[in-house]
Amino acid sequence: MVHARIVTARMQRAIIAACAISVCLGLGTAARADSGPVDGCPKGSDSAGFWKRLSQSYERHLFPADVPTTASDPNAPFDAESAGYRQELPPPPVSNPPWPYAVWNEGGTELIGYENMYSSALMDAVYCGSNGKAWKDSRFVIYGWIEPGGNISTSNLGFNKLSGTGGNFPAAYSYQPDTIQLDQAALYFERTPDEIQRDHVDWGFRVAGIYGTDYKYTFSNGILSYQYTEQERLYGFDPVMYYLDFYFPKFLDGENLRVGRYISIPDIEAQLAPNNLTYSHSLLYTYDPYTQNGIVSTTMLNKNWRVQLEISSGNDISPTDKHFRQWTPAACIIYTTDSGNDALYPCMNGLNNQNFGWNNIQHAVATWYHKFDEHWHMDSEAWYMWQNHTPDSLNAQGQAVLAAMFPPPEYNIGAPSGAQCNNTALVYCASHEWAVVNYVNYQHDPHNIWTWRTDYMDDNTGQRTGFKGAFAEFDLSYTHWIGDVVELRPEARYERQVSAPNAAITGFAYDNPCYAPANAASSICTFSSGGRTATFTKNGGKRSQAMLAMDAVFHF
């Protein structure tokens, strides 16, 4: 553990150094004397103080003035910079906001051929200063958000960190019932390469960290993971992304090479709050990989086809972890129709020796996006995952193997679960699961959207949730934007354990902190760790759960 702490400390210093270097690069580029404010700033803004400019910027972003639309000249030459995309590509199918994307999601890359630079009230305040044009030309930005959230649930016994069950689990993120918490406070430093142009090599980077309860779902083993697995902190910090991007415009129709830590490439959803259609996450997303540390290449072959190739240290694992890392290749193909209304994105998101380890799931996945018209579109995803040689958690020898692989105090909590093998005489078996999710999305106007999610997961051997069987989940979400600064996202969610073949052993999945069936002779259970004891009511769990939840995302 001492060695892991040393590695972590080194990584922290490296992250801080990267932040400092990136800020200096941005400052150096933007410090050209008297470049002046960008167009559209209030008169005299370059002589106003920063806080005055910031308050004016927030006023404009919260309460934007109506801008009259003017008919474009059909004979005017196409301007890719003002349009935000190359002429040969389809325009973005939707708008951001109110949606979390404008072009269909592609992981592990900037969108080749489209503008990727982030805009915000904070950066607009900078752009209205005396060196605003130089700042904007540098493409260096600082931004983030603060996201509190809460829920009211039919589950009420509380989440048990030691068993990893109870409360709203297997629902994630809002796993503690009837609470309000800080889900995320995020801060980004980034420069995006200009991937519309075709005449010069460009580069970019991102260093991003989050603090809040959601770090429980983002950490990689060996990268500050002791906050959860050893110290059992409710709130923690995770450097969720740090990478460099290199853009090569003359390699076919464009090539982006990313090196570092990034969000797992194929999903509709992501851990970062503004990147999601809803506050809560689907079961499908909750139990697949989160992040990778590695290198991913994205090549645009033509306007319709892109190919991704990746090598990483495995799922949610530090490349310095010599015990659990698995050098893992991955490959994806992305097809987009000429209209841009459809995109199909199949991936083999990791294939190695396939043996059980730290989240060493083999992940075959595909996503499909389809736009019906200006109001309706649909996002769908399906995956199949497996591991071989998974210890049987219902077998005494299998339990001993798991305890030896993930010993306390380094893994007081949060270690991967074993399988519930069909033949409990086996010490090991293959674990596998599959899932599918569909989002039907409706835009009422530029500030109001609705989303209906249907979600099904079959945890065939119980390795992902600890509860063998199938689950169905349904979610109705509404999002209201105040300007482009504040998102309010209430939702109603219902889920049910459709099948529970091991309920006599584990109980039902929801509101089951004891991870046990009901027992008339014993109404409580007690767990101990590090000299601490927690006692819960033993109710055998519930087969279904309903939840009302809401978050608010404040962008800066």
Side-chain angles (χ1 to χ4, degrees), residues 1 5 8 12 161 210-212 215-216 218-220 222-239 409-410 412-413 532:
M1 191 63 201
R5 291 269 180 91
T8 299
Q12 285 179 289
K161 293 184 294 184
I210 66 166
Y211 176 82
Y215 91 104
K216 174 183 186 298
T218 66
F219 73 80
S220 286
I223 304 175
L224 305 185
S225 54
Y226 64 84
Q227 296 173 95
Y228 188 75
T229 61
E230 182 179 353
Q231 298 177 351
E232 304 177 20
R233 296 183 189 175
L234 175 62
Y235 289 92
F237 170 79
D238 183 43
E410 187 174 357
N412 284 332
I413 62 173
R532 289 165 292 171

Side-chain angles (χ1 to χ4, degrees), residues 71-95:
S72 59
D73 181 358
N75 299 316
F78 183 82
D79 184 349
E81 183 177 352
S82 61
Y85 60 95
R86 293 182 191 166
Q87 185 173 10
E88 69 270 19
L89 298 178
V94 294
S95 60

Side-chain angles (χ1 to χ4, degrees), residues 41 43 113 122 198 266 348 355 362 370 395 505 519 526 535:
C41 292
K43 186 177 181 180
L122 172 61
R198 301 292 306 277
M348 186 61 241
N355 288 336
Q362 317 299 295
H370 175 69
N395 177 287
I505 301 171
N519 187 340
T526 301
T535 299

Side-chain angles (χ1 to χ4, degrees), residues 54-64:
L54 186 64
S55 65
Q56 291 174 337
S57 180
Y58 266 99
E59 183 178 357
R60 293 193 302 273
H61 279 261
L62 282 167
F63 311 106

Side-chain angles (χ1 to χ4, degrees), residues 144-147 182-187 209-212 237 556:
W145 59 84
I146 298 172
E147 182 214 11
L182 174 64
D183 293 297
Q184 298 179 10
L187 181 62
I210 66 166
Y211 176 82
F237 170 79
F556 60 84

Side-chain angles (χ1 to χ4, degrees), residues 72 86 97 113 153 250 294 307 311 316 326 329-330 379 417 426 444 470 530:
S72 59
R86 293 182 191 166
S153 173
K250 298 185 184 300
V307 174
I311 183 73
D316 308 301
Q326 295 268 6
D379 308 349
S417 300
L426 297 175
H444 177 70

